[in-house]
Amino acid sequence: DGGITQSPKYLFRKEGQNVTLSCEQNLNHDAMYWYRQDPGQGLRLIYYSQIVNDFQKGDIAEGYSVSREKKESFPLTVTSAQKNPTAFYLCATRQGRTEAFFGQGTRLTVV
Amino acid sequence: KQEVTQIPAALSVPEGENLVLNCSFTDSAIYNLQWFRQDPGKGLTSLLLIQSSQREQTSGRLNASLDKSSGRSTLYIAASQPGDSATYLCAVMEEYGNKLVFGAGTILRVKS
């Protein structure tokens, strides 16, 4: 079954805690992206990676970190430095500059 | 900096009506434009991708047009159905970059 898998679907974070969101793909796409979606706003780019072991900051990278050790995986860590992390997080992949595909998202809530 | 605007923010129509969703972008130097659908609490589903050299793309009851020079795209939905109710987002890929820039979306409700 091809596609993009994000886990978990729901995640709760306590104050001062780091949490990691998983994104796995079997589409063999080179590029992977993390977006944040807040109510009434468009998607905002957090980080992206064009190839393994390389990634670039997007528009709102502060308080987040990523790694790209394998082509299939692009985990996002939300650190305690991110003061307002409650949001819907979406992972996307793309091969070259063609159509982008998205996972089903992770909803993160601070408790 | 590229900015994408979608109008209207929300739209409610009776079933069977034809409708148009609008997307505008400030920088005409784009590589392509993509329309997506998002159901509540779900990820994005790609509907149509238009390359900058194309004028339109069609898929079933959906037709997307692109006027790159004026910075506009429209998504036309024919004979709307309640199942079309969702948020529709457009996104542009910059000509000299690898980022997708999104609009805030149009929330569509089709009433039966």
Side-chain angles (χ1 to χ4, degrees), chain A residues 39-111:
Chain A
Q41 297 190 34
L43 277 66
R44 293 183 290 167
L45 182 63
I46 305 173
Y47 269 98
Y48 64 105
S49 169
Q50 300 294 309
I51 57 173
V52 174
N53 292 322
D54 187 50
F55 47 83
Q56 288 79 40
K57 293 182 179 180
D59 300 317
I60 55 165
E62 186 176 351
Y64 300 96
S65 66
V66 293
S67 63
R68 185 86 186 276
E69 297 177 2
K70 300 186 299 182
K71 187 174 184 178
E72 301 80 19
S73 178
F74 191 40
L76 173 73
T77 297
V78 184
T79 74
S80 57
Q82 172 50 241
K83 298 307 179 186
N84 185 25
T86 294
F88 191 51
Y89 291 85
L90 289 157
C91 175
T93 72
R94 193 174 65 214
Q95 184 59 33
R97 305 182 81 192
T98 59
E99 193 175 11
F101 295 90
F102 280 78
Q104 289 300 299
T106 292
R107 184 165 300 280
L108 174 62
T109 304
V110 174
V111 296

Side-chain angles (χ1 to χ4, degrees), chain A residues 9 33 35 37 40-43 45 48 50 57-59 88 90 94 97-100 102-105 107, chain B residues 31-32 34 36 38 41-44 46-47 49 51 89 93-100 102-104:
Chain A
K9 186 173 182 179
Y33 302 78
Y35 289 89
Q37 186 177 33
Q41 297 190 34
L43 277 66
L45 182 63
Y48 64 105
Q50 300 294 309
K57 293 182 179 180
D59 300 317
F88 191 51
L90 289 157
R94 193 174 65 214
R97 305 182 81 192
T98 59
E99 193 175 11
F102 280 78
Q104 289 300 299
R107 184 165 300 280
Chain B
Y31 188 80
N32 58 41
Q34 198 166 352
F36 295 89
Q38 185 178 30
K42 303 292 187 182
L44 277 63
S46 178
L47 297 174
L49 173 72
Q51 300 295 344
L89 298 107
M93 178 178 293
E94 298 167 322
E95 190 166 11
Y96 300 109
N98 291 295
K99 302 179 186 180
L100 273 176
F102 282 82

Side-chain angles (χ1 to χ4, degrees), chain B residues 2-91:
Chain B
Q2 178 75 267
E3 293 184 358
V4 180
T5 303
Q6 291 188 244
I7 294 174
L11 181 63
S12 181
V13 301
E15 182 177 5
E17 194 162 293
N18 301 328
L19 57 99
V20 174
L21 308 181
N22 297 290
C23 173
S24 61
F25 44 95
T26 55
D27 187 347
S28 63
I30 67 168
Y31 188 80
N32 58 41
L33 183 146
Q34 198 166 352
W35 281 94
F36 295 89
R37 168 186 172 135
Q38 185 178 30
D39 293 294
K42 303 292 187 182
L44 277 63
T45 299
S46 178
L47 297 174
L48 290 163
L49 173 72
I50 311 178
Q51 300 295 344
S52 61
S53 59
Q54 296 176 316
R55 298 287 290 182
E56 66 179 77
Q57 281 283 354
T58 298
S59 175
R61 293 183 294 109
L62 305 179
N63 175 277
S65 68
L66 174 64
D67 185 342
K68 182 181 170 182
S69 61
S70 68
R72 295 181 181 178
S73 176
T74 61
L75 179 66
Y76 175 82
I77 302 177
S80 59
Q81 303 170 358
D84 294 330
S85 298
T87 298
Y88 291 81
L89 298 107
C90 71

Side-chain angles (χ1 to χ4, degrees), chain A residues 16-37:
Chain A
Q17 191 178 47
N18 292 354
V19 291
T20 298
L21 285 62
S22 171
C23 179
E24 302 280 333
Q25 58 112 348
N26 61 6
L27 300 172
N28 201 35
H29 288 174
D30 288 319
M32 297 187 74
Y33 302 78
W34 275 106
Y35 289 89
R36 169 179 171 144
Q37 186 177 33

